[in-house]
Amino acid sequence: MTHPHPHLPLQAQPHVHPHPHPHPTGAEQHHVAGQSQIVYVKRPATGASYWLVGLTVLVPLLGWIVGPTSMISSSARGLASDDAFQREVARNASNWGKTMLGLVAVAAAFFAVSVGAMADSTDNSWMLITSTGFLYAIGTANLVGIICGGVSASQGRAFRYALAIPFRAREADFHVA
């Protein structure tokens, strides 16, 4: 066997790890007195979970209610945080969850009315088609918002969905000069 550093004895050979990132997530390598130690460091929370918990919307039947509700409830922890970034991400996710609950209520009412109208006459089939299209549109907007919000938060950026109703104002709006 050939040694990468033939001038050093075998036990002093540097360890070459085949993987480009030899340390698991959250680990950092520190050199103390010539010895290498791996120290695990807790990374700061990004708030991505406030958004990504909304993926529970994919659960059949109850997902339309559970997804937004879980976004609102999980954001409560972030709203109480000392970290301004956490509060901003939680506020944005909470606003989108509340907006989605409102849209789901409107869509459900519209769908119920369209099904009732279909029972009276088949001439009202446009209502059923429109309400079904509305459901698909808000479902797509929800998935896009959840994924964009989760990815942005994990990259350290606060994502504000333009379609979200600002139920909870930004902290900057409260400051009086």
Side-chain angles (χ1 to χ4, degrees):
M1 177 173 137
T2 60
H3 301 295
H5 300 284
H7 59 279
L8 295 175
L10 185 58
Q11 61 270 25
Q13 294 291 324
H15 175 68
V16 179
H17 199 281
H19 192 273
H21 302 289
H23 308 298
T25 303
E28 295 179 0
Q29 187 170 11
H30 296 277
H31 299 283
V32 179
Q35 294 184 1
S36 179
Q37 296 178 336
I38 295 179
V39 178
Y40 289 92
V41 178
K42 184 178 179 185
R43 291 186 179 171
T46 62
S49 63
Y50 308 141
W51 282 99
L52 296 177
V53 74
L55 289 175
T56 55
V57 76
L58 299 175
V59 174
L61 301 175
L62 294 177
W64 286 93
I65 297 168
V66 173
T69 305
S70 59
M71 287 177 71
I72 295 166
S73 62
S74 72
S75 296
R77 183 182 67 229
L79 291 169
S81 174
D82 293 337
D83 183 15
F85 176 73
Q86 286 285 319
R87 287 191 307 270
E88 181 69 12
V89 171
R91 181 188 66 80
N92 292 338
S94 178
N95 284 343
W96 179 243
K98 291 172 185 175
T99 301
M100 273 305 298
L101 278 180
L103 288 173
V104 166
V106 168
F110 186 38
F111 189 76
V113 167
S114 66
V115 168
M118 284 288 296
D120 291 340
S121 169
T122 56
D123 293 339
N124 296 329
S125 62
W126 66 271
M127 288 179 72
L128 185 62
I129 293 169
T130 305
S131 65
T132 304
F134 184 60
L135 285 169
Y136 279 112
I138 64 171
T140 302
N142 187 34
L143 283 177
V144 167
I146 289 169
I147 292 169
C148 289
V151 168
S152 293
S154 68
Q155 293 174 348
R157 294 175 295 156
F159 175 75
R160 188 184 88 72
Y161 203 178
L163 300 176
I165 298 170
F167 292 101
R168 190 178 271 278
R170 293 183 322 185
E171 290 178 13
D173 296 340
F174 293 120
H175 297 296
V176 179

